[in-house]
Amino acid sequence: MIGFRQNKATEGKMPFVSLVVLVRESANWFDCLIDSVNNQSNSDFEVLFIRDHAMVETWSKAKKCARDNSRFRCIETGNVDVSLRKNIAIDVASGVYISFLYSDDVLQPDFVQTLMNEGASKPDVILFNVLKYNARTGVIRPANAVKEGGITYRRAFSKHDPLENIFKVCKPELHYMVFNKKFIVSEGIGFLSDEHPNDPALIYLSLCFAARIAITKHSILKVKSGAIPGVDSTNSVPSSLIIGTFEHVITCIKDRKIYARLSKPLSNIAISKCAYYLDSAEGAVDRFELCKRLAQSECFPDKILSMPLSEYADADQYWKVKGCIYACAFRNEIERLNKPADLHVLKETDWHIEPPKISIIVPVFNSEKWIDECLSSIVRQTLSAIEIIVVDDGSTDGTLQN
C-alpha cells in the first residue's frame, strides 16, 4: 500500500500541488486515503500530514508513509489550535497549489491531473465538484457544488450586477477549492478561527482578491458525510461565528479600498448565510444567541443591512435577519428598563413578570387597507405574552402611522 511510484521526471522541482492532510482519529478511513494518493495518474504532488488529535495507530501509519517515501512529510505542531496548524502547513508547503484534505477523504485517480489541466491558465483559485459518501447508509451522491464548469472567471464578482457572481455557478467550500500558494501568501490570507474548522474567511477573502478563478464540474474528490456513532467525533460549529467571519472580511476589503465593488454581493451572501443559520439553529437559546450577536455586530446593521431593499436577492431573508435584530434590541431594551418605555406597543402585557414568548415581526409597506385587520388579529390572540414589532418597509401612504 505504501509503495508509491516515484516519478523521476519531477524529482528536484517544485511539485504542482501540496496535499495538506489533517490527520484525525480515523485509522480505517486513512488507509483508503493513502491508497487513493498512491493510485494517482499524475505524481506531481507532495503530501503533508498534520497531526490533529490523531490516534497513535493512525499517526503511526502517517509516519510510515513519510519513512517510505520522500514525498510524504509529517508535521507535529504540539498543542496549538487547528487554524495555526493549517497556517504552518501553508508556510512549509512547497507546491504551487495547496489543497486541504482530511484523513477520511478519498481522491479520485485523476485528482492531480485534473487540477493540472485547470491550472494551465495559472488561476489563483480552482474550484471543483466532489462526491459525498454517507458513512451510515453507504450511499454515494454528487455534492452538486459546481453548477457550471469549464469556465474561468477573471473576477469572482460582477461589478455591475451583485447577483451575477461566482455563487451563481458554484457553492465555494474549503473542500472544493485549491489555492495558489503564492497568491494567498502575497495577499496575507490565512486561517482565522480555531472554532470554525473550515474557516470561511479564507474562502471569501480568496474569492474577493483573486484575479482569475478556474471552475471544473469534474468530481475529483470523495468526502465522508454522516458521523458514525461511537466512531466519529462531532465538531459542531457555533453559528454566530459566521458573523465574526463577515466582520473580518469587510474590514479586510475596506482596508484594500475595494468595499464599494464588493459590498453588494457580500451583503447578499451574508444575509443568506445568517438566514440559513437562523433556520437551522438548534432550539430557541441558540437562535437567540445568534440574534444577540447580530444585534451587537458593528457591520450587520450599519453596512450589510443598509442597502435599498431592491438590491437584496431575497427580501424574505433580508427581513428575517433584520427583524431578528430589531426583536433582540427590543427585548434588551425591555429587560434594561423593565418596561416598554419609548416604544410603541400595540398591546400591554405583564412583561415585568414574564418576557414575551413570541415576537411577531410585521414589515409594513403601502397596505393601509389591510394593516388594521392584520394587527387586530394579532391583538386578539389568546396568548398574552406577545410582542409586536412593526418594521417600516418604505411605507408612504400612512400605513406605518396607523
Side-chain angles (χ1 to χ4, degrees):
M1 179 183 70
I2 304 300
F4 179 77
R5 301 186 301 273
Q6 292 281 3
N7 186 338
K8 298 296 182 182
T10 61
E11 288 184 355
K13 77 177 187 69
M14 181 183 294
F16 176 76
V17 62
S18 296
L19 306 176
V20 176
V21 182
L22 263 71
V23 183
R24 296 179 172 174
E25 56 281 282
S26 52
N28 294 332
W29 297 98
F30 188 66
D31 290 342
C32 298
L33 168 69
I34 298 303
D35 283 341
S36 70
V37 170
N38 288 338
N39 290 327
Q40 287 299 298
S41 60
N42 189 308
S43 60
D44 196 2
F45 63 87
E46 68 169 356
V47 180
L48 301 180
F49 293 126
I50 311 295
R51 190 168 190 177
D52 184 25
H53 307 293
M55 295 186 299
V56 173
E57 179 185 0
T58 307
W59 191 241
S60 297
K61 292 182 178 183
K63 290 195 291 186
K64 185 178 189 311
C65 290
R67 288 194 304 268
D68 291 351
N69 192 305
S70 60
R71 292 179 183 274
F72 293 78
R73 287 189 280 165
C74 290
I75 301 174
E76 296 197 59
T77 57
N79 188 25
V80 300
D81 62 46
V82 66
S83 60
L84 182 54
R85 291 189 184 106
K86 290 182 179 180
N87 287 331
I88 291 172
I90 293 174
D91 289 338
V92 302
S94 58
V96 179
Y97 287 87
I98 301 177
S99 174
F100 296 96
L101 305 168
Y102 291 105
S103 50
D104 51 13
D105 293 338
V106 177
L107 281 62
Q108 299 290 76
D110 61 344
F111 181 87
V112 174
Q113 184 60 54
T114 301
L115 293 180
M116 289 194 72
N117 294 342
E118 298 299 327
S121 61
K122 296 181 171 52
D124 296 319
V125 180
I126 303 174
L127 294 100
F128 52 86
N129 245 330
V130 304
L131 299 170
K132 285 195 173 180
Y133 173 74
N134 191 297
R136 292 193 300 266
T137 65
V139 174
I140 299 175
R141 62 176 180 81
N144 294 326
V146 175
K147 304 172 186 175
E148 182 179 337
I151 57 177
T152 299
Y153 273 63
R154 292 193 176 274
R155 283 291 176 194
F157 303 103
S158 167
K159 184 175 181 179
H160 304 291
D161 185 351
L163 307 184
E164 291 297 331
N165 58 53
I166 201 167
F167 285 82
K168 281 279 191 176
V169 297
C170 64
K171 178 185 176 184
E173 292 185 12
L174 188 63
H175 250 102
Y176 316 153
M177 303 174 71
V178 173
F179 306 89
N180 183 291
K181 176 179 175 175
K182 184 177 180 180
F183 160 67
I184 59 175
V185 170
S186 64
E187 297 291 353
I189 304 172
F191 289 91
L192 177 67
S193 170
D194 178 41
E195 298 176 271
H196 202 312
N198 288 335
D199 203 342
L202 176 74
I203 298 170
Y204 297 131
L205 285 176
S206 65
L207 295 177
C208 289
F209 296 162
R212 185 185 292 269
I213 300 172
I215 303 176
T216 176
K217 289 185 73 173
H218 291 296
S219 298
I220 57 177
L221 179 68
K222 186 164 66 176
V223 300
K224 183 167 70 71
S225 64
I228 301 176
V231 176
D232 297 318
S233 61
T234 59
N235 189 3
S236 60
V237 178
S239 56
S240 60
L241 282 173
I242 197 69
I243 300 169
T245 292
F246 281 105
E247 289 174 337
H248 175 72
V249 169
I250 286 176
T251 298
C252 290
I253 66 174
K254 285 176 73 68
D255 291 343
R256 288 281 299 270
K257 305 293 192 288
I258 56 174
Y259 178 73
R261 179 171 68 84
L262 298 174
S263 60
K264 292 178 183 179
L266 280 178
S267 294
N268 275 289
I269 296 164
I271 292 295
S272 175
K273 287 289 185 181
C274 287
Y276 167 78
Y277 280 117
L278 285 168
D279 286 340
S280 60
E282 296 182 1
V285 174
D286 288 346
R287 189 172 291 108
F288 182 64
E289 287 301 314
L290 178 56
C291 291
K292 283 202 302 185
R293 185 71 176 80
L294 280 167
Q296 295 165 357
S297 168
E298 295 181 0
C299 74
F300 270 78
D302 297 334
K303 295 182 178 67
I304 290 176
L305 291 165
S306 63
M307 298 188 305
L309 184 62
S310 60
E311 295 186 355
Y312 292 97
D314 190 316
D316 290 340
Q317 290 181 341
Y318 166 82
W319 281 117
K320 178 180 294 183
V321 175
K322 192 164 188 174
C324 285
I325 291 176
Y326 283 150
C328 187
F330 190 25
R331 176 169 175 173
N332 289 341
E333 183 72 5
I334 291 169
E335 292 176 348
R336 187 176 71 85
L337 300 176
N338 204 27
K339 61 180 181 179
D342 300 324
L343 294 168
H344 300 289
V345 181
L346 298 177
K347 177 167 179 153
E348 295 290 339
T349 58
D350 199 15
W351 286 343
H352 64 281
I353 296 175
E354 180 184 17
K357 290 186 172 64
I358 297 178
S359 298
I360 299 179
I361 302 166
V362 184
V364 295
F365 37 92
N366 292 345
S367 56
E368 184 178 8
K369 178 180 178 182
W370 304 105
I371 191 65
D372 288 340
E373 183 176 349
C374 171
L375 296 180
S376 296
S377 68
I378 298 173
V379 172
R380 290 195 299 267
Q381 294 299 305
T382 56
L383 178 67
S384 63
I386 296 176
E387 65 178 359
I388 303 171
I389 301 171
V390 179
V391 184
D392 186 14
D393 187 13
S395 172
T396 60
D397 67 348
T399 301
L400 181 64
Q401 287 71 20
N402 289 343

